Amino acid sequence: MKTIVKLYTRNGCHLCEKAKAILLKLKERYDFHYIEADIDKSDELTEKYGMMIPVVEINGEEVQFGQIDELLVEQVLRENNSSYLS
């Protein structure tokens, strides 16, 4: 099964843009399906993640929120047996 990485975000979020850049950089090295979810399009997501974004979720598990650490996310990707591209 292919690893799924989901980024919970919203427009105008500076930390979200940084998180997206980190995930797209990691996507160059790891084979995973990338999904973005705008929390402002769902009352449920806004209530759940409103003050936490960005939130990175890998295979349904919240990995990190707020300041996203590339090394931590990469470690979780390795643990989830993503195919390494390089």
Side-chain angles (χ1 to χ4, degrees), residues 3-38:
T3 297
I4 298 172
V5 176
K6 191 170 195 175
L7 176 64
Y8 292 94
T9 185
R10 70 169 24 127
N11 287 332
C13 170
H14 177 66
L15 290 176
C16 297
E17 290 301 319
K18 285 184 172 185
K20 181 177 181 177
I22 287 169
L23 294 176
L24 293 179
K25 180 179 173 185
L26 288 170
K27 190 155 177 36
E28 293 174 5
R29 296 184 301 219
Y30 293 90
D31 185 25
F32 60 83
H33 185 66
Y34 174 75
I35 301 170
E36 270 185 47
D38 183 344

Side-chain angles (χ1 to χ4, degrees), residues 5-86:
V5 176
K6 191 170 195 175
L7 176 64
Y8 292 94
T9 185
R10 70 169 24 127
N11 287 332
C13 170
H14 177 66
L15 290 176
C16 297
E17 290 301 319
K18 285 184 172 185
K20 181 177 181 177
I22 287 169
L23 294 176
L24 293 179
K25 180 179 173 185
L26 288 170
K27 190 155 177 36
E28 293 174 5
R29 296 184 301 219
Y30 293 90
D31 185 25
F32 60 83
H33 185 66
Y34 174 75
I35 301 170
E36 270 185 47
D38 183 344
I39 68 165
D40 288 334
K41 293 184 179 180
S42 162
D43 290 341
E44 181 182 335
L45 291 178
T46 300
E47 186 175 323
K48 184 174 182 179
Y49 296 120
M51 301 305 290
M52 295 173 60
I53 61 165
V55 177
V56 174
E57 181 182 278
I58 298 178
N59 291 336
E61 180 182 336
E62 291 175 12
V63 173
Q64 198 168 38
F65 64 91
Q67 292 279 0
I68 304 304
D69 179 1
E70 181 177 343
L71 296 176
L72 175 71
V73 174
E74 184 171 17
Q75 178 182 351
V76 175
L77 284 171
R78 271 195 234 117
E79 291 170 0
N80 277 276
N81 297 320
S82 290
S83 301
Y84 190 67
L85 297 177
S86 297

